C-alpha cells in the first residue's frame, strides 16, 4: 500500500472512531458544545471550512483515481481471461484489480464519513443551542410562575388589608357615634338634674312663700280683730300706737315676702 492510501486508510479509521465517540449516549450535546468552545477549537474554527473543502477535494480526486484504476484493471482482467494468458500474469492483474477496488472503498467511505462527521458536529451544536435555549425558557417560565404566585399572594394580602381597614374605619365611625351619643346622654342627664334641682328649689321656695302667706293671713286676721276692738272701745291715739307696733313687728316678714316675689 502506497503512502497516500495508507493515509486515507488511517483517516478512515480515525473518522470511524470520532463518529463512534460522538454517538456515545452518556455524553450530552451541552458537554460537546463546551468541548467545542475550547480555545484550541476556536482557533481551528477559522480554518475549518477551508480544511473541510480541501479534504473533500483530495478524497474526490482519490476516489476518481480509484474508479479509473478499477475500470482499467477490470477491462484488462476480461481481456486477459479471454486471451488465456499464463497464470502469473493473470494473478498480477487480479492483485492490481483487488488493490484498486480496495482503494475505491477506502476513498469512498472516507468521503462519505467525512460528510457524515461534518453533519453530526453541526447537529450536535444546534441541539446543544436548542437545549440551552430550552433551559433558559424553562427558567424564565419558572421565574414568571413564581413572580405570578408572589403577586397573587401580595394582591390577596392587600385585599385583606383593605377589607380590614374598611372594617376598622366602620368600627371607628361606630365608636365615634357611640361616644357622641354617650356625651349627648350625659349632657341631657346633667340638664335633667339641673332642671330637677331647680324644680325642687322652686317647690321649696313656693312652700316657704305659702307658709309665710299663711302667717301673714293670720296676722292680718289678728290685726283686723284688734282694729275692730279699737274702733269699738277707744280714742285714736291708742289706735295709732297699736298700728305702729304691729308694723314694726311684721316689717321683716313683709321684706321677706317682697324679696321672694
Amino acid at each position: 500500500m502506497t503512502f497516500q492510501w495508507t493515509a486515507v486508510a488511517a483517516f478512515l479509521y480515525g473518522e470511524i472512531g470520532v463518529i463512534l465517540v460522538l454517538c456515545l449516549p452518556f455524553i450530552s450535546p451541552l458537554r460537546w458544545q463546551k468541548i467545542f468552545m475550547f480555545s484550541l477549537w476556536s482557533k481551528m474554527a477559522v480554518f475549518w471550512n477551508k480544511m473541510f473543502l480541501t479534504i473533500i477535494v483530495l478524497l474526490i480526486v482519490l476516489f476518481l483515481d480509484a474508479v479509473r484504476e478499477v475500470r482499467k484493471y477490470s477491462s484488462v482482467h476480461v481481456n486477459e481471461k479471454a486471451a488465456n494468458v499464463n497464470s502469473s500474469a493473470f494473478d498480477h492483474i487480479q492483485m492490481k484489480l483487488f488493490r484498486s477496488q480496495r482503494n475505491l472503498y477506502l476513498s469512498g467511505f472516507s468521503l462519505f464519513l467525512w460528510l457524515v462527521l461534518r453533519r453530526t458536529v453541526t447537529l450536535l451544536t444546534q441541539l446543544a443551542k436548542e437545549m440551552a435555549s430550552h433551559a433558559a425558557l424553562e427558567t424564565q417560565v419558572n421565574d414568571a410562575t413564581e413572580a405570578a404566585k408572589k403577586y397573587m399572594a401580595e394582591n390577596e394580602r392587600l385585599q385583606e388589608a383593605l377589607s380590614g381597614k374598611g372594617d376598622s374605619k366602620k368600627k371607628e365611625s361606630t365608636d365615634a357615634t357611640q361616644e357622641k351619643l354617650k356625651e349627648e346622654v350625659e349632657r341631657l342627664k346633667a340638664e335633667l338634674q339641673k332642671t330637677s334641682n331647680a324644680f325642687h328649689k322652686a317647690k321649696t321656695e313656693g312652700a316657704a312663700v305659702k307658709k309665710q302667706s299663711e302667717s301673714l293671713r293670720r296676722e292680718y286676721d289678728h290685726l283686723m280683730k284688734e282694729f275692730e276692738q279699737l274702733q269699738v272701745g277707744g280714742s285714736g291715739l291708742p289706735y295709732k300706737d297699736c298700728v305702729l307696733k304691729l308694723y314694726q313687728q311684721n316689717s321683716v316678714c313683709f321684706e321677706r315676702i317682697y324679696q321672694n316675689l
Side-chain angles (χ1 to χ4, degrees), residues 82-94:
N84 293 321
V85 296
N86 55 12
S87 59
S88 61
F90 183 76
D91 292 336
H92 182 72
I93 293 171
Q94 284 286 95

Side-chain angles (χ1 to χ4, degrees), residues 224-259:
M224 289 299 295
K225 288 179 181 180
E226 289 182 356
F227 179 72
E228 289 176 355
Q229 290 176 1
L230 290 173
Q231 283 182 349
V232 172
S235 61
L237 184 57
Y239 171 73
K240 289 181 182 180
D241 293 336
C242 183
V243 172
L244 181 60
K245 183 179 179 180
L246 290 172
Y247 177 77
Q248 291 176 356
Q249 291 177 356
N250 296 306
S251 61
V252 177
C253 184
F254 288 146
E255 289 178 0
R256 290 179 180 176
I257 292 172
Y258 177 74
Q259 289 176 0

Side-chain angles (χ1 to χ4, degrees), residues 21-22 24-38 41 120-139:
V21 172
L22 290 175
L24 291 175
F26 55 85
I27 302 177
S28 64
L30 293 174
R31 186 167 295 180
W32 281 118
Q33 188 183 20
K34 290 179 180 179
I35 293 172
F36 295 153
M37 294 299 292
F38 288 164
W41 297 109
T120 303
V121 173
T122 303
L123 290 176
L124 284 174
T125 305
Q126 292 178 357
L127 183 60
K129 290 180 180 179
E130 292 296 329
M131 291 176 68
S133 63
H134 177 72
L137 289 175
E138 187 175 359
T139 304

Side-chain angles (χ1 to χ4, degrees), residues 53-114:
L53 294 176
T54 303
I55 292 175
I56 284 180
V57 170
L58 291 175
L59 291 175
I60 289 174
V61 170
L62 292 173
F63 180 74
L64 293 177
D65 183 63
V67 169
R68 184 185 61 81
E69 291 289 331
V70 169
R71 288 172 63 88
K72 172 183 174 183
Y73 289 110
S74 295
S75 60
V76 171
H77 173 70
V78 172
N79 294 328
E80 291 291 335
K81 188 175 182 180
N84 293 321
V85 296
N86 55 12
S87 59
S88 61
F90 183 76
D91 292 336
H92 182 72
I93 293 171
Q94 284 286 95
M95 183 184 64
K96 292 288 187 181
L97 179 61
F98 171 75
R99 289 179 178 176
S100 61
Q101 290 175 350
R102 181 201 62 190
N103 296 335
L104 176 65
Y105 295 144
L106 287 175
S107 59
F109 280 110
S110 297
L111 179 61
F112 173 73
L113 291 179
W114 182 244

Side-chain angles (χ1 to χ4, degrees), residues 150-215:
K150 184 178 179 181
Y151 293 149
M152 290 176 66
E154 290 181 355
N155 190 13
E156 291 178 357
R157 287 197 296 270
L158 287 174
Q159 289 180 357
E160 291 177 357
L162 289 175
S163 62
K165 188 176 180 180
D167 294 337
S168 63
K169 286 184 177 179
K170 290 180 180 178
K171 188 176 180 181
E172 289 177 358
S173 61
T174 305
D175 294 339
T177 305
Q178 290 179 355
E179 291 294 331
K180 289 181 180 179
L181 290 175
K182 287 180 180 179
E183 291 177 359
E184 188 69 20
V185 169
E186 293 294 333
R187 186 179 64 81
L188 291 175
K189 285 183 179 179
E191 290 181 357
L192 180 62
Q193 185 68 29
K194 186 177 180 181
T195 305
S196 178
N197 294 331
F199 176 73
H200 286 298
K201 184 177 180 181
K203 187 176 179 180
T204 304
E205 291 178 354
V209 171
K210 185 177 179 180
K211 186 176 181 181
Q212 290 177 2
S213 65
E214 289 292 336
S215 64

